[in-house]
Amino acid sequence: MTEHPTSFDHSQTGTGPTDAHGALLHTSAPSGASALPQQSRAAGSEHSQSLSAEPGAHRPRPAPEGIPAQPDAATRAAEATATEAMAVEPTTTEATTAEAMTTETVTAEAEPAEGATPDAETGTDAGTPHGTDGGGTPGVASARTDAEAPRAAGAPGGQGRRSRRGLPPGGKERRTGRGLPPGRPTPMRRDGDRLRFVGAATRRIARGMDLDEIVMGLCRATVPTFSDAILVYLREPLPVGDERPTGPLMLRLRRTDRIPVERGADGVYVPPPVPEQPAELSAVSSELCEVRPGSALGEVLRGVRPVFTDTEASRTALAELLGKRSGLTLPDGRRTILAPLRGRRRVIGAALFLRRPERHAFEPDDLLVAAQLATHSALGIDKAVLYGREAYIADELQRTMLPETLPHPTGVRLASRYLPAAETARVGGDWYDAIPLPGSRVALVVGDVMGHSMTSAAIMGQLRTTAQTLAGLDLPPQEVLHHLDEQAQRLGTDRMATCLYAVYDPVNHRITVANAGHPPPVLLYLGGRAEVLQVPAGAPIGVGGVDFEAVELDAPAGATLFLYTDGLVESRLRDVWTGIEQLRERIQATAQLTGPDHPPPLEALCDEVLDMLGPGDRDDDIALLAARFDGIAPSDVVCWSLDPEDAAPGQARRLVRRTLERWDLPELTDSVELLVSEVVTNAVRYASRPVTLRLLRTDVLRCEVGDDVPQLPRMRQARVTDEEGRGLYLVNKMARRWGATRLSTGKVVWFEMNRS
């Protein structure tokens, strides 16, 4: 089958702005001897050709009226030869007939079923006969391709075709005899043009993934090819899936697009080369419209099918849509189409197509084009809303599984990054966490559950919650991983994950690390040297029956520890150990830029680490946790051990008084002495081993009292006659913060006081 070029294949004189994706098609009047033959008319469409003709039959085509020049004998002979050659190729006409029938089938899917009662709320179908415009006008009755047109004698290849599609001499249109303004799109005169336009427009609409892309695709596909302006109204709010909307039906103006009006000095229309992107119809004053039951607009939306606004009812509906104060001047005749946008279950909006008086009016067949555009757009909007809701749920699930903000523990600064594997699937099994522990310590956790599904995210959330609970018990890192392994086995047989658990002590400047099949951390020292820590790899969580080992390492002040998941160092282009070495080199090179005495800013350092990933070099989630160890200086920490006897509270008061005087904090002496005395008294009453007392001076003054009793104290309201039970009440009133944490050897009760 020979396929003739459309107007966007070759440049033509007098054609208007074209769609970059092939949506703009032109069919002009014939020129010279290569004129289009006269066509047979079918009811309701003066340009459609009957399908009753036999596929291979030859139909003679007399020259159109108004062209005095007649082809000579040689031209007629060559044309007859071309016609006979076409007669032996019935597949062309059969394919054309099949194409037309396919288009009518697609149109039937967009149209409501015959005999149904329409409803704008429920989306039921209208009772107007299929294939008509509501007034009995038949739809597209046939289709014809350019392959049926005979070629002019001596015209090589596409030369004859281009001459047929060009304007006649003088630039006047054949039917009306009027000249077309330069650059204006010519009307679609043949069913083949409409089919090609609908195909190109629906492809452009279908490319959109979200709501804005689909609506913009509808606007850009129709302006200026099908209309000079378009207004798209959508329901406010848009219903999602099967949910039934509550309240009145409200339509909000979502987007407009148009060819701006520009006129020269002589008043002649001067079109721009391309439409405005975007352009607002400033004359439309009402952006929100309420569709009342039984109103003219409600009836049009119930009818589902596009309508011309040349009747009294449709004009009333249009006035309700645009608003009473709208200054938009509508052209006379059939130059406006109002097309309801019907989704899967209900009407979700409306589209208004407008043409200016300088352009030909819409034809009855254009209603079917508008129906196709409205149907594809509405279904695309429905799917985009559903996809947006699913993406929102997945994103919220992932966000709630990760820490909203990082804590600010004493002696360490934290920064984190999380990147999903893809923007379209923002769920995964990677997580990170920072958990404050008793004694100003902090637990640093990073883990990775296999997979990128909602199931992986759910398992990740359960493991993260378990890790937080185990950290609250102040268990050693290897014991935490052991209990995580047991929890993963209880969740299922194939619940595999890797995890690295580290505990940093800012007082001792030490870090204890246990690993469960996770990539080893990287430690950056203050001088700019970076090294990969030698940590036993261990087996992944979920294997079961394995033992985990913890190692204790130095964590000097100014050093930075990087915990990460394998998505940062492993991809299809490199193995994990190559990626780890590249990460170490990148961290070291970045740190050396700031000099040996000044560590690089933590947030900027995290960004530099992520920049090592090139385009297409990531196919897994990435979780990154960086910890800058500031530590606590030995001069800011004092610790005592008190025997559990009655003299311990007095001894604690004297030690605290001398320490606060040495630290130049005399204003805190009275209050801190009182609170320390109350807490030590409670500890001594029940303890059987020595009680520990520790003071730490950072941005706040922190006091910690530890004993060997696991029961946590509870604050209660003492009665007037009670002689005790007021210690924690005073702590709660006077301290900045306070709390109690259970340890493996007992408990710690702590409180903090502001230094100023």
Side-chain angles (χ1 to χ4, degrees):
M1 174 178 176
T2 304
E3 189 171 346
H4 290 258
T6 53
S7 61
F8 54 82
D9 291 327
H10 303 279
S11 59
Q12 305 174 25
T13 304
T15 57
T18 60
D19 188 298
H21 298 281
L24 178 57
L25 303 176
H26 298 284
T27 304
S28 305
S31 174
S34 302
L36 286 174
Q38 195 174 18
Q39 304 175 18
S40 60
R41 267 68 171 177
S45 177
E46 62 178 356
H47 300 289
S48 59
Q49 182 177 331
S50 175
L51 285 174
S52 59
E54 297 181 1
H58 167 65
R59 293 181 292 274
R61 304 184 178 201
E65 62 276 11
I67 302 179
Q70 300 295 328
D72 53 14
T75 303
R76 288 196 298 270
E79 193 168 344
T81 303
T83 304
E84 293 175 358
M86 291 177 56
V88 298
E89 297 178 2
T91 45
T92 301
T93 308
E94 292 172 359
T96 306
T97 305
E99 183 181 2
M101 294 176 66
T102 303
T103 307
E104 291 182 358
T105 304
V106 174
T107 307
E109 295 176 358
E111 300 276 334
E114 182 175 354
T117 302
D119 187 1
E121 285 293 328
T122 61
T124 52
D125 298 327
T128 309
H130 171 68
T132 65
D133 59 1
T137 305
V140 177
S142 61
R144 179 175 52 83
T145 62
D146 292 342
E148 298 178 5
R151 300 183 179 180
Q159 298 293 333
R161 292 191 295 271
R162 287 198 298 269
S163 64
R164 291 190 193 318
R165 303 179 69 84
L167 286 173
K172 294 184 178 182
E173 205 274 327
R174 179 175 62 84
R175 287 179 53 198
T176 62
R178 295 183 300 177
L180 294 177
R184 294 292 289 159
T186 59
M188 290 181 290
R189 292 306 184 82
R190 306 199 299 197
D191 299 330
D193 289 349
R194 289 187 174 89
L195 293 177
R196 286 188 289 270
F197 165 71
V198 169
T202 53
R203 284 194 299 271
R204 185 166 190 172
I205 295 171
R207 281 197 297 267
M209 289 293 293
D210 57 17
L211 182 61
D212 292 332
E213 290 179 352
I214 293 173
V215 175
M216 185 177 65
L218 172 63
C219 294
R220 298 298 167 82
T222 54
V223 178
T225 309
F226 184 69
S227 62
D228 293 325
I230 183 174
L231 291 84
V232 180
Y233 289 81
L234 294 182
R235 190 164 188 156
E236 180 75 17
L238 276 170
V240 180
D242 298 334
E243 69 179 22
R244 291 189 62 86
T246 58
L249 173 58
M250 306 294 294
L251 297 181
R252 180 176 293 277
L253 182 62
R254 182 78 183 194
R255 186 180 177 88
T256 65
D257 210 347
R258 67 173 180 181
I259 301 179
V261 178
E262 298 182 8
R263 297 185 179 273
D266 54 354
V268 179
Y269 176 83
V270 181
V274 293
E276 290 181 342
Q277 300 187 14
E280 297 295 329
L281 296 173
S282 57
V284 181
S285 59
S286 177
E287 293 189 357
L288 190 63
C289 168
E290 179 180 355
V291 183
R292 296 180 175 84
S295 63
L297 179 58
E299 293 301 319
V300 171
L301 295 181
R302 284 167 55 91
V304 178
R305 292 186 176 86
V307 296
F308 292 120
T309 59
D310 57 348
T311 63
E312 185 65 27
S314 59
R315 282 195 295 268
T316 304
L318 187 57
E320 295 176 3
L321 181 64
L322 298 178
K324 297 180 179 180
R325 298 182 180 179
S326 176
L328 182 63
T329 302
L330 299 178
D332 298 331
R334 294 185 170 183
R335 287 184 170 82
T336 306
I337 294 179
L338 179 58
L341 301 178
R342 179 182 182 274
R344 295 173 57 248
R345 296 184 180 274
R346 59 186 62 88
V347 172
I348 60 174
L352 186 63
F353 304 94
L354 301 99
R355 285 185 181 179
R356 295 199 178 103
E358 296 90 347
R359 189 170 179 179
H360 289 288
F362 289 111
E363 298 179 359
D365 289 346
D366 291 328
L367 290 177
L368 299 179
V369 176
Q372 287 289 307
L373 298 177
T375 300
H376 282 273
S377 300
L379 294 178
I381 291 172
D382 254 359
K383 295 177 182 178
V385 172
L386 284 172
Y387 171 77
R389 172 62 63 87
E390 293 178 358
Y392 170 78
I393 294 174
D395 187 65
E396 283 296 302
L397 174 63
Q398 184 72 49
R399 187 184 62 81
T400 54
M401 293 296 182
L402 297 175
E404 185 175 354
T405 57
L406 291 174
H408 300 280
T410 302
V412 61
R413 286 174 287 171
L414 303 172
S416 63
R417 295 292 187 273
Y418 175 79
L419 295 178
E423 290 297 325
T424 56
R426 298 180 60 88
V427 291
D430 293 16
W431 90 91
Y432 61 90
D433 213 342
I435 308 168
L437 299 177
S440 300
R441 296 171 300 153
V442 59
L444 307 174
V445 191
V446 64
D448 183 6
V449 178
M450 294 177 56
H452 308 94
S453 62
M454 300 283 285
T455 303
S456 301
I459 297 173
M460 176 267 288
Q462 297 180 69
L463 293 180
R464 177 173 177 254
T465 303
T466 304
Q468 288 180 330
T469 304
L470 296 172
L473 299 177
D474 197 28
L475 297 178
Q478 64 272 20
E479 290 296 324
V480 172
L481 295 184
H482 175 72
H483 288 292
L484 282 177
D485 180 57
E486 292 180 343
Q487 176 67 11
Q489 294 180 64
R490 285 190 290 267
L491 294 177
T493 57
D494 57 345
R495 308 311 188 193
M496 304 288 293
T498 62
C499 182
L500 191 143
Y501 189 94
V503 176
Y504 170 65
D505 189 346
V507 177
N508 298 326
H509 298 275
R510 302 283 289 178
I511 184 171
T512 305
V513 185
N515 191 9
H518 204 77
V522 177
L523 184 62
L524 172 66
Y525 294 94
L526 183 60
R529 181 177 63 89
E531 70 170 347
V532 180
L533 297 183
Q534 301 299 320
V535 179
I541 292 174
V543 174
V546 296
D547 190 19
F548 299 98
E549 182 182 355
V551 294
E552 189 173 351
L553 305 170
D554 289 331
T560 305
L561 183 69
F562 291 90
L563 308 180
Y564 53 91
T565 56
D566 57 356
L568 181 63
V569 295
E570 185 180 19
S571 68
R572 298 185 182 94
L573 305 179
R574 60 186 175 189
D575 61 87
V576 61
W577 290 109
T578 302
I580 292 175
E581 180 61 25
Q582 292 179 0
L583 173 63
R584 187 197 66 80
E585 294 175 355
R586 183 62 176 263
I587 293 174
Q588 181 170 292
T590 304
Q592 291 175 354
L593 296 177
T594 59
D597 300 329
H598 301 282
L602 196 57
E603 296 290 341
L605 188 58
C606 291
D607 294 335
E608 287 294 330
V609 168
L610 294 182
D611 285 343
M612 67 178 288
L613 301 171
D617 195 20
R618 179 168 64 90
D619 49 14
D620 197 1
D621 304 330
I622 295 177
L624 173 66
L625 180 62
R628 175 71 49 78
F629 300 143
D630 295 332
I632 301 176
S635 59
D636 293 332
V637 181
V638 291
C639 184
W640 303 280
S641 178
L642 308 175
D643 293 331
E645 55 188 21
D646 295 340
Q651 184 182 0
R653 288 194 296 268
R654 291 190 298 271
L655 294 173
V656 168
R657 185 185 305 113
R658 288 198 298 264
T659 302
L660 294 180
E661 290 176 356
R662 187 172 71 251
W663 285 349
D664 195 19
L665 297 173
E667 66 277 4
L668 299 178
T669 301
D670 294 338
S671 56
V672 173
E673 276 189 40
L674 175 61
L675 299 185
V676 166
S677 177
E678 293 292 339
V679 176
V680 171
T681 299
N682 290 338
V684 169
R685 177 174 301 176
Y686 303 102
S688 59
R689 296 181 181 180
V691 176
T692 60
L693 172 63
R694 187 166 72 167
L695 292 181
L696 297 96
R697 181 183 61 173
T698 56
D699 53 342
V700 296
L701 180 66
R702 183 182 177 98
C703 177
E704 299 174 353
V705 178
D707 57 62
D708 60 343
V709 181
Q711 286 79 17
L712 299 180
R714 293 289 182 267
M715 185 179 65
R716 63 184 180 90
Q717 187 70 33
R719 293 175 296 182
V720 178
T721 59
D722 291 342
E723 297 182 358
E724 55 186 28
R726 295 180 176 85
L728 291 181
Y729 179 79
L730 293 175
V731 173
N732 183 63
K733 287 294 184 180
M734 300 178 64
R736 173 178 176 265
R737 290 194 313 158
W738 77 278
T741 305
R742 183 179 287 109
L743 304 177
S744 58
T745 57
K747 69 176 181 294
V748 169
V749 180
W750 57 270
F751 64 86
E752 293 178 352
M753 303 288 290
N754 291 323
R755 294 178 54 180
S756 58

